[in-house]
Amino acid sequence: MRFLESDTKQLLKENGIKVLDYHILKNFDHAREFINALEGEQFFLRPHSYERGKERFGDVTLASSKDAAIDKVKEIVEEKLTALHSEKKIPVTEIILEEAIPYKRVFYLSLFFDGSKAKTVFLVSKRRLLPKDFINKESDDHFVVAVDFAAGFSQFIARKICFFLDMDNEAIKKSIKNFKTFYELFLKFDLKFLNMGPVYLSEDNEIIISGAHMIMDQNSVFRHLDMLKLATDKDELQDLELEAYRNDISYVMFEGDIGCLVNGTGIGLALVDLIRHKGGDIAAFVDVGGTAGKDRVKKALSIMLKDKHIKLIFINFFNGMVKSDEIAEGLREILDANKIEIPIVGRIDGINKVPAHKLLAGNPQITLLDDLSESVTYILEKVKQKSEG
Amino acid sequence: MGILLDRNTRMITIGLNSPLAQFHTTSCLEYGTNVVGAVVPGLGGTSKDGVRIFNTISLAQKNTGASVAMMFLPPQLVLDGILECIEAEISLIVCTTTGVPLHDMLKLKSILRNSKSQLIGPSSVGVITPGECKVGVMPGFIFMPGNVGVVSRSGSLLYEMVSELTKQEIGQSTCVGLGGDNVIGSDFIDVIKLFEKDHATKLILILGEIGGNYEIDVAHYIRKNVSKPVVAYVAGSMMPRDRQVGHSGMEINSLIHSAEKKLEVFEECAVNIVRSPDKITQKVKKLIFDQELI
């Protein structure tokens, strides 16, 4: 579950962390008036967006005068926002303006999970943004330190980070409590990521947060129901993806023509590998999960039928947790209720395979196949015929 | 033979009250697993389809001598359930629950390190030593006794690949579904260690996927410590990288290793890699034939 920058910063503020004052520019046509009405002369600018949006935009921009700030706004709007809007992937509708402050250091700080070590990790980078293709090893410009759950936070962790950033003794003394707060917030809100950057160390040795984003563990939402209203995941989803999301279905659209309906991420990914190795491409990756019953499967298929990009639906279910005939029943109900214009190819295997095949056998709207590799060859041939004919 | 489970293993089910748990407990029984009891707080002293029910896990353990627990608790109760298993010194806990909170797993990991229990999962489909014992939700009929040790993060991919192996008459020593969550009880290294020592296992098949560092860690481990031939496939190398996919916890972004990167590391560590899932069985078959493993 993702949260917007403003909500994350509000949370930090409530917990005693200093946050740089900011203004949100919503209407770009009035950028000049808006900026002229501000008191400062120098500004930091960046789009109000998610982490991934920021990566694309590169660095935060510093404007050293009001005129420069207005020019920068234009640049961001014209060059970058339009590009993103046409891709419809990351909605950026606002720009954040911060009055620039003099600072001693600027860095990026991220807290996240290291699954394989089962530890919380502090990552600090001397750049303003997260290093690209970050690998969990130290280098000249980034540094990691892991916190053991049983031991909890200890001061040396903060000291290690501070020395890496070449902070002086007084700054270190002052900032240790901030690092402790970050760790406590990470635990308290069941976070998966708490990313802060740029973070400034001001001239009077205060840690001041400029950008911040957090992602809460989806599985822990039941402990934080009051935060649900702030979650913003839905903003970056398209309509069908959103409908799926509400029904606990993972639905991701791509550029190709084959829609894959699967009940497990692993086999779904393997299927995409296979389809692309054989020269095809997918239009939608739809995963209902291994525990999905009849209703979720029905919902997923009916959403896929609304997706105009899909030229063929490939259903691949290998069932363990849930019985195949239950899945087949759901599929049959949808097939019987709709006149479907695109070919549907299915592979159903696992527990109760035989009754499942009986339920679907002879249905003209679905072709049942057995072998994985042969099925993929078949669907690619079918898609090719369709696009030629 | 095989690892973790054999024909003498005694299993209890934790949370037998759901129809799902009942169905899979029966299916384990039918496969030949010694299901010796179950735990449902408040129903102690009763029985369900011939399975004795106990109020607490330690009571069940003492009365039945069970060493393995199959867990079907809802996500909010998993932390409590696993802590109770640890207290009862259950040596193997197989947790099938999906959606366990990450911070609960973090806590459990630090406790498990100093315990007598090993955890497989959460979101695991289970463990099976074909022909002897099945603890989990997998369809038993796709497995066949033999000499390939299979370990996979994803359950669905495990079924698919094992089913291919069986069609080609390549049997398996033991198959383990680790679970696709970010933090899991046992990782590839924990399982590979056991396969290396196991006499029945002649070849090891690793099925990885995008997300996390588990595959990278095991690759380095294999180079130093494993003498048996290893085949590895990592799902997701052809996936566009800028979107999150899937129902489990994985995310595709720059914070994590891509499938392609993992395959490269496996290759550097002298593991036989496969890039397309339809080539896995061929590769395994060729190695067995070339090296006269069986």
Side-chain angles (χ1 to χ4, degrees), chain A residues 314-339:
Chain A
F314 184 38
I315 300 171
N316 193 83
F317 276 25
F318 212 127
N319 301 293
M321 188 74 104
V322 181
K323 288 165 255 178
S324 302
D325 47 342
E326 187 190 329
I327 304 279
E329 229 171 78
L331 294 176
R332 195 172 77 167
E333 283 172 26
I334 295 289
L335 294 176
D336 288 348
N338 295 282
K339 170 140 183 27

Side-chain angles (χ1 to χ4, degrees), chain A residues 113 115-116 118 186 191 193 217 219-220 223 248 250 252 265-267 270 273-274 276-277 287 316 320-321 347 350, chain B residues 24 99-104 106 137 141 156 160 182 214 217 233 236-238 244 246-248 255 275-278:
Chain A
F113 271 108
S116 48
F186 191 79
L191 300 184
F193 285 99
D217 169 32
N219 298 340
S220 308
R223 291 180 189 149
D248 207 10
S250 161
V252 188
T265 315
I267 184 59
D273 285 354
L274 192 54
R276 292 184 127 202
H277 271 294
D287 180 7
N316 193 83
M321 188 74 104
R347 276 186 77 229
Chain B
H24 288 292
V100 177
L102 272 173
H103 287 257
D104 289 0
L106 260 198
V137 302
F141 68 89
S156 50
E160 199 71 64
N182 289 13
Y214 295 107
D217 295 344
Y233 165 67
S237 58
M238 301 298 277
Q244 180 175 345
H247 207 263
S248 49
L255 261 180
R275 284 179 202 276
S276 180
D278 58 340

Side-chain angles (χ1 to χ4, degrees), chain B residues 239-254:
Chain B
M239 205 69 190
R241 282 190 73 191
D242 62 340
R243 301 294 305 274
Q244 180 175 345
V245 297
H247 207 263
S248 49
M250 65 173 68
E251 269 187 54
I252 307 178
N253 65 24
S254 58

Side-chain angles (χ1 to χ4, degrees), chain A residues 12-168:
Chain A
L12 289 168
K13 231 176 178 170
E14 283 165 11
N15 287 279
I17 304 288
K18 285 214 162 63
V19 170
L20 196 57
D21 288 338
Y22 63 94
H23 311 277
I24 295 177
L25 176 56
K26 287 187 175 162
N27 186 340
F28 307 122
D29 299 338
H30 300 102
R32 186 174 296 277
E33 289 146 54
F34 185 88
I35 289 170
N36 280 331
L38 298 176
E39 279 181 18
E41 279 299 324
Q42 293 190 319
F43 301 96
F44 298 126
L45 279 96
R46 65 178 185 284
H48 191 195
S49 125
Y50 306 98
E51 203 54 47
R52 274 176 275 172
K54 259 168 69 181
E55 261 169 42
R56 291 187 175 212
F57 279 93
D59 219 333
V60 177
T61 320
L62 171 72
S64 51
S65 70
K66 284 186 174 172
D67 285 338
I70 294 160
D71 290 344
K72 292 284 180 198
V73 169
K74 259 189 203 150
E75 199 178 299
I76 295 179
V77 173
E78 279 169 12
E79 284 178 19
K80 292 165 177 172
L81 290 191
T82 29
L84 282 182
H85 272 307
S86 64
E87 282 176 48
K88 279 191 184 165
K89 279 184 179 162
I90 302 158
V92 183
T93 51
E94 299 170 345
I95 290 179
I96 288 195
L97 284 154
E98 286 162 335
E99 297 191 10
I101 51 158
Y103 57 86
K104 283 158 83 174
R105 296 275 181 283
V106 58
F107 57 96
Y108 185 95
L109 182 71
S110 175
L111 276 85
F112 61 93
F113 271 108
D114 183 333
S116 48
K117 288 199 190 73
K119 283 179 177 171
T120 305
V121 175
F122 277 90
L123 165 76
V124 57
S125 165
K126 286 183 184 171
R127 294 188 235 168
R128 283 163 183 266
L129 290 172
L130 192 63
K132 269 205 174 136
D133 287 319
F134 156 70
I135 293 173
N136 199 351
K137 272 186 194 136
E138 290 165 24
S139 81
D140 288 347
D141 66 9
H142 69 271
F143 178 80
V144 285
V145 49
V147 187
D148 185 84
F149 188 91
F153 183 86
S154 196
Q155 293 198 353
F156 79 89
I157 291 159
R159 279 202 306 272
K160 279 180 92 165
I161 297 170
C162 294
F163 283 120
F164 173 74
L165 292 168
D166 300 320
M167 282 159 64
D168 57 41

Side-chain angles (χ1 to χ4, degrees), chain A residues 301-320:
Chain A
L301 185 57
S302 55
I303 297 173
M304 289 177 89
L305 290 173
K306 286 190 242 170
D307 189 338
K308 296 289 166 239
H309 300 91
I310 299 178
K311 304 282 180 288
L312 180 146
I313 295 177
F314 184 38
I315 300 171
N316 193 83
F317 276 25
F318 212 127
N319 301 293

